[in-house]
Amino acid sequence: MSLKSQPGQMRKLSKYLFVTVGASASFKTLIKEVISPPFVEKLKSFGFTHIVVQCGPDYGYFEGSKPNQGPEDLDISGFAYKKDLREAMSLATADDTSGKERARGLIITHAGSGSILDALDYDAALIAVPNPALMGNHQSEIADEMEKEGFLIQGKVGSLVDVINEDMLNAPKKEWPPPPDEDSVFPGGLWQAITSLLPERPVEERGWWFSRWYA
């Protein structure tokens, strides 16, 4: 059975979009866009069946804004935060286990380095969206660099519906982590370059992903 996306094709497989906005910073504009009628209809045309949104401090806004859902609509659900989002991210990967059949889906994340690195562990299409309210934390620089390297698509609030297409949904995932380049300014690899853009903080405050790559 093919797990690729084809617009307008009827689906028996589950297919998930998982969205994460981060733990503490508000990102209502992203939430508003991913549950908007044009965006939802675009997802339906590619066979998506579920939208799951990690809402951070905007969970109340999400609950009050999500559309009414009929039997033919996408299942739209959300939660405020979980310490470990890996289980939720894994919903966007293909699974041919009997009783859990899923097609390859999509992850949309804010452009924080930790969330991007987490998402890269999964074979799903990936869009990173910088939060305009957080330009001081280098989200745009990180997303720019990762897009140039071919690891993700950088999205902009207000135009995400235009980014979703068959090519990006079906594009094979680039190898992660990339092999180090000894001649690079950052011989430790791309994650060393990302860390150089982060504010100086104690290791214990940078999350489990930092310990995984740098321990």
Side-chain angles (χ1 to χ4, degrees):
M1 178 184 299
S2 173
L3 299 181
K4 288 190 174 183
S5 306
Q6 297 294 336
Q9 183 174 331
M10 296 299 294
R11 291 287 175 182
K12 292 183 179 179
L13 297 175
S14 296
K15 189 171 183 179
Y16 282 78
L17 163 65
F18 175 65
V19 182
T20 174
V21 305
S24 57
S26 176
F27 205 170
K28 289 181 181 177
T29 51
L30 177 56
I31 294 174
K32 179 180 180 180
E33 186 159 1
V34 299
I35 60 175
S36 67
F39 191 84
V40 170
E41 288 302 312
K42 187 69 169 287
L43 290 182
K44 287 174 66 176
S45 76
F46 284 102
F48 282 82
T49 59
H50 295 73
I51 298 175
V52 179
V53 184
Q54 179 270 312
C55 306
D58 300 321
Y59 180 69
Y61 169 80
F62 167 81
E63 282 294 309
S65 302
K66 68 179 181 180
N68 295 326
Q69 300 165 61
E72 301 301 318
D73 293 326
L74 273 70
D75 183 297
I76 301 175
S77 62
F79 58 91
Y81 185 68
K82 295 178 182 177
K83 185 175 181 180
D84 189 344
L85 295 179
R86 286 175 287 181
E87 181 178 355
M89 287 185 174
S90 70
L91 292 172
T93 63
D95 188 343
D96 60 3
T97 304
S98 178
K100 299 197 306 181
E101 291 90 347
R102 288 195 310 266
R104 184 176 187 259
L106 170 64
I107 296 172
I108 297 179
T109 177
H110 70 113
S113 57
S115 293
I116 289 175
L117 289 171
D118 282 353
L120 285 168
D121 277 342
Y122 299 94
D123 184 15
L126 177 58
I127 298 174
V129 185
N131 188 336
L134 299 176
M135 289 298 102
N137 75 354
H138 305 287
Q139 285 200 357
S140 288
E141 291 94 331
I142 292 170
D144 283 342
E145 184 62 31
M146 298 291 275
E147 184 175 48
K148 288 176 185 175
E149 296 289 336
F151 291 105
L152 53 77
I153 301 295
Q154 181 174 186
K156 303 292 185 183
V157 171
S159 60
L160 291 179
V161 71
D162 299 322
V163 175
I164 308 296
N165 59 58
E166 184 178 355
D167 288 341
M168 67 83 56
L169 289 173
N170 292 332
K173 176 180 168 59
K174 187 173 180 180
E175 178 187 1
W176 180 264
D181 180 358
E182 295 181 359
D183 296 326
S184 170
V185 176
F186 302 104
L190 185 57
W191 53 91
Q192 182 183 357
I194 291 173
T195 301
S196 74
L197 297 173
L198 297 175
E200 288 297 324
R201 289 185 293 159
V203 169
E204 60 271 17
E205 294 181 7
R206 295 195 178 189
W208 74 270
W209 60 270
F210 184 88
S211 300
R212 182 182 64 176
W213 294 116
Y214 292 95

